[in-house]
Amino acid sequence: MGVDVALVRVGQREGSPTRRRTSQVDAVLDLHDKFARLCGSSVLPMLSRVDPYGTLILSSSEMDQFISEIEVEFLRVEDPAMKEFLESALRLARECREKGEMKLRLDGD
């Protein structure tokens, strides 16, 4: 029931002005379901929207809020593995914020 965080590039498919093509650039895997549990217990608005069984796609314009919420949780957690996961998620979120063609995809199991 983990929630993986993936940075994806969104572009148009050749010959189709409406169909989108996505390609994964990088990802952080929630192998021990720790991020899923953190999101499930979070009272922060964006993190509480994360569905451990579905997908939430965030645009670059939503990254400031996502980053601030991850930073809040980073200060709360003590588990070194969770801190490492959150640092990696922050790196992906910052890259997404800088590049408008990117999106952050949070994939539940």
Side-chain angles (χ1 to χ4, degrees):
M1 174 172 106
V3 175
D4 301 332
V5 179
L7 180 66
V8 296
R9 177 174 285 112
V10 179
Q12 286 187 329
R13 289 190 175 189
E14 290 184 33
S16 176
T18 58
R19 296 190 74 192
R20 300 275 184 225
R21 171 179 47 105
T22 61
S23 57
Q24 184 169 305
V25 176
D26 200 355
V28 184
L29 305 179
D30 184 16
L31 299 175
H32 302 288
D33 305 337
K34 292 180 180 186
F35 186 59
R37 285 193 295 273
L38 181 142
C39 292
S41 65
S42 180
V43 297
L44 300 171
M46 188 167 286
L47 291 180
S48 65
R49 287 178 35 208
V50 174
D51 181 358
Y53 300 104
T55 299
L56 175 64
I57 299 175
L58 303 173
S59 68
S60 59
S61 65
E62 295 173 290
M63 286 302 103
D64 285 337
Q65 180 179 351
F66 182 76
I67 289 168
S68 69
E69 291 186 17
I70 292 292
E71 288 172 340
V72 166
E73 293 294 350
F74 183 85
L75 295 173
R76 291 181 184 168
V77 300
E78 295 179 11
D79 178 17
M82 190 69 239
K83 282 193 175 285
E84 184 178 331
F85 180 94
L86 293 176
E87 284 176 339
S88 297
L90 279 170
R91 178 181 50 79
L92 297 181
R94 289 180 179 125
E95 186 173 346
C96 181
R97 178 179 60 189
E98 299 303 317
K99 300 175 181 173
E101 77 276 6
M102 299 287 198
K103 298 211 183 283
L104 205 63
R105 190 179 65 218
L106 289 82
D107 289 318
D109 287 340

